[in-house]
Amino acid sequence: MCTLLTWHDACMETGFPWGSTPTADLRLWRADAIVLFNWLMSTDLNAVPITHPAQKQALADLLARLEEVDVAESTEEEIAAAQERVAKGMGW
């Protein structure tokens, strides 16, 4: 099952920092969204290697969007299961 993250409504409505900035719709497997949210919540973005400040901001923006979908309420068991699904068959 995929989780649809649509920035269109948030970006085009008042109150979003960029107003009418062009947006992109992003579909993720729910497991990927859970893993990313969990990682972003537990990561010090100041410690993430970046080559441009916009990269850190983009990660913060992604976290903000993930907080708006149901993955933010994932239990420890759901996080562990999502990590298993995402890592399955990676080979690294």
Side-chain angles (χ1 to χ4, degrees):
M1 177 166 96
C2 291
T3 299
L4 178 61
L5 303 179
T6 177
W7 295 355
H8 176 74
D9 292 336
C11 289
M12 297 311 237
E13 296 297 323
T14 59
F16 199 76
W18 303 288
S20 62
T21 299
T23 62
D25 289 336
L26 175 65
R27 290 185 65 88
L28 293 174
W29 286 334
R30 179 175 169 72
D32 284 337
I34 291 171
V35 169
L36 280 171
F37 178 78
N38 181 257
W39 177 73
L40 286 167
M41 286 298 293
S42 64
T43 298
D44 176 3
L45 292 182
N46 293 318
V48 175
I50 60 168
T51 58
H52 193 279
Q55 295 165 334
K56 187 188 321 181
Q57 184 60 52
L59 288 173
D61 293 344
L62 176 60
L63 175 59
R65 300 295 67 83
L66 287 169
E67 287 177 326
E68 295 174 358
V69 296
D70 64 343
V71 299
E73 303 300 322
S74 298
T75 65
E76 290 298 320
E77 294 80 19
E78 290 171 319
I79 293 166
Q83 290 169 335
E84 285 288 321
R85 279 192 295 275
V86 173
K88 187 176 183 175
M90 286 178 42
W92 46 289

